[in-house]
Amino acid sequence: MNSYPSSAEFSEIQTGFDADPSKSLSLRKEAYVDPAWFRVDQAEVIAKTWQWVCHIEKLRDAGSYVTVDIAGNPIAIVRDRDGTLRAFYNVCKHRAHQLLRGEGQTTRIMCPYHAWVYGLDGQLVRAPHTETLVDFNVQDVCLDDVQVDEFCGFVFVNLDPTAPSLREQSVDLETEIRHWAPDIETLTFGHRLTYDIKSNWKNVVDNFLECYHCPTAHKDFCTLVDMDTYKVTTHGIYSSHMADAGKDSNSAYDVSNATVKTHAVWWLWPTTCLMRYPGRSSMIVLNIIPVGPDRTLETYDFFLETPEPNEAEIESIRYLDEVLQKEDIDIVESVQRGMMTPAFTQGRIVNDPEGSGKSEHAVHHFHGLVLDSYTKGQP
């Protein structure tokens, strides 16, 4: 097992970063390539922050459940009989077997190993052949709770039992999202795209947070939105990325009948991206899942007005999948390869004080949050 970085390495990782983005260098490459720093990411970032799970529609009914892995930990989220949303470590208290798999409906939680049965509130209710055990009472056994939150029509979990609620941490984010997407809770799942990327998760986030590269790498995208109106604003644990739709026809996909004419995107620390592109009312959720120092999984979930995408949405999904994502994956995989060479240590942050899209101040904001987490996790 890779050890944690040393105290000296924790100090060195801060080198070059400045609170002023116009003076700052980027995060050092060790944070992207060293397996020891990936362990810090899992323990100090992913396991201590709010992680996106699903749209609330999957967990509206009593007995509905969803399972996920967060920082290598299996988690189950269930709707209790009384309507309470609960989350637990998806681990039996008898011999640590996984309890639930996938998603679905259930009236109880039964371990498939020895048939220990838990209620939807996590309380053990039956353990076969334990009647003769000394000092054993099923009422004393309960699954370990995990924090769970309903936020803007979505479900999030946090493995840190001391973490403040997502609303408390994100302050104005909910108000902002509901202003631009007032129907977010009534949207329904329409499509999912998945990607397996040969890059560190932070390179994926870096690339998402700036459009400095867009005129060079995403020429079609730059016709979809009016780049002159593109503004990026950072706040606490999120950043807002706003632009008007392009004024003329574009080369990305047809928006001639669009009812949504604003490109509104939010990045929520550390791995959730909410996107409302020009077109029909919708919300795209990009979930960035760290798997290894040089491997990241992505899911793009499209939440639409109807379960079936219309023709324009089919075309927009095709554009995102076959054009925009291909361009971005090529970029971040190239960056990861470059970081593995001796030719790179860290680069300069390009900052526009006016906050345009062609600026890296949101990347700098992200790097500051990463380094804050590293400081808190220093041995």
Side-chain angles (χ1 to χ4, degrees):
M1 181 180 291
N2 295 301
S3 62
Y4 253 43
S6 66
S7 294
E9 288 171 317
F10 268 95
S11 297
E12 187 178 0
I13 202 69
Q14 305 275 345
T15 304
F17 183 83
D18 193 286
D20 182 350
S22 292
K23 297 179 180 178
S24 186
L25 296 177
S26 64
L27 194 58
R28 292 175 62 87
K29 78 169 187 180
E30 291 88 347
Y32 299 83
V33 302
D34 189 335
W37 284 112
F38 182 75
R39 289 192 64 220
V40 179
D41 285 347
Q42 292 285 75
E44 301 301 329
V45 178
I46 306 304
K48 294 185 177 180
T49 52
W50 288 98
Q51 297 291 308
W52 183 83
V53 175
C54 64
H55 192 280
I56 195 63
E57 68 176 353
K58 283 191 177 181
L59 290 163
R60 281 200 175 109
D61 300 329
S64 55
Y65 70 88
V66 171
T67 62
V68 292
D69 274 10
I70 305 294
N73 294 278
I75 306 298
I77 306 93
V78 302
R79 180 72 70 178
D80 197 356
R81 293 180 186 275
D82 65 1
T84 303
L85 192 62
R86 302 179 183 276
F88 314 101
Y89 282 92
N90 192 16
V91 176
C92 184
K93 302 299 288 185
H94 173 219
R95 295 274 295 280
H97 197 282
Q98 182 173 334
L99 294 166
L100 296 170
R101 293 186 183 275
E103 57 189 58
Q105 286 282 136
T106 188
T107 58
R108 60 182 183 173
I109 301 171
M110 187 175 80
C111 181
Y113 194 10
H114 297 99
W116 281 34
V117 177
Y118 303 82
L120 298 180
D121 60 356
Q123 175 66 52
L124 182 65
V125 294
R126 187 171 71 87
H129 309 298
T130 57
E131 297 81 6
T132 60
L133 298 185
V134 177
D135 296 329
F136 179 82
N137 189 328
V138 294
Q139 295 178 346
D140 296 333
V141 180
C142 191
L143 299 178
D144 288 8
D145 287 318
V146 170
Q147 283 210 75
V148 61
D149 207 348
E150 298 180 41
F151 181 82
C152 287
F154 296 107
V155 176
F156 291 78
V157 296
N158 193 326
L159 303 190
D160 182 359
T162 67
S165 73
L166 184 48
R167 280 179 180 81
E168 183 180 345
Q169 288 190 36
S170 61
V171 190
D172 296 328
L173 177 59
E174 181 171 17
T175 300
E176 192 172 323
I177 291 175
R178 290 189 184 277
H179 170 76
W180 293 104
D183 58 350
I184 190 167
E185 291 194 36
T186 61
L187 297 174
T188 188
F189 176 77
H191 193 74
R192 168 172 279 196
L193 299 172
T194 60
Y195 304 94
D196 193 334
I197 304 172
K198 299 180 182 68
S199 174
N200 185 273
W201 71 276
K202 295 187 292 297
N203 269 328
V204 176
V205 174
D206 287 350
N207 182 66
F208 182 87
L209 290 177
E210 50 93 351
C211 220
Y212 182 39
H213 71 283
C214 291
T216 306
H218 301 313
K219 296 186 185 302
D220 296 314
F221 178 81
C222 290
T223 67
L224 178 64
V225 302
D226 182 354
M227 290 300 296
D228 291 337
T229 66
Y230 204 122
K231 294 292 181 183
V232 179
T233 310
T234 62
H235 326 252
I237 64 165
Y238 75 96
S239 56
S240 307
H241 306 246
M242 302 290 179
D244 295 337
K247 298 180 177 65
D248 303 312
S249 61
N250 69 81
S251 55
Y253 60 90
D254 181 21
V255 293
S256 57
N257 295 318
T259 54
V260 173
K261 301 183 182 297
T262 303
H263 171 80
V265 171
W266 299 269
W267 167 78
L268 173 61
W269 159 258
T271 54
T272 305
C273 308
L274 307 173
M275 299 173 277
R276 191 167 170 90
Y277 279 13
R280 194 165 63 148
S281 181
S282 66
M283 185 64 75
I284 308 168
V285 181
L286 163 58
N287 188 27
I288 298 167
I289 306 166
V291 177
D294 57 358
R295 185 178 174 218
T296 301
L297 300 180
E298 281 186 342
T299 59
Y300 274 80
D301 283 350
F302 294 77
F303 298 95
L304 311 172
E305 293 180 14
T306 56
E308 294 297 326
N310 64 21
E311 287 187 19
E313 288 163 344
I314 291 171
E315 184 62 18
S316 69
I317 292 169
R318 183 207 61 78
Y319 162 71
L320 197 152
D321 183 32
E322 298 179 9
V323 180
L324 191 60
Q325 268 299 93
K326 185 178 186 306
E327 292 167 345
D328 276 332
I329 290 172
D330 286 347
I331 287 168
V332 297
E333 290 186 344
S334 175
V335 169
Q336 188 71 27
R337 291 192 297 270
M339 285 183 168
M340 296 296 293
T341 73
F344 182 83
T345 302
Q346 60 192 141
R348 188 65 185 252
I349 292 291
V350 176
N351 180 53
D352 174 8
E354 299 298 317
S356 76
K358 300 174 185 177
S359 172
E360 295 176 326
H361 59 287
V363 178
H364 173 266
H365 171 240
F366 168 52
H367 291 178
L369 291 170
V370 170
L371 292 174
D372 285 347
S373 292
Y374 286 178
T375 298
K376 293 173 184 174
Q378 184 168 352

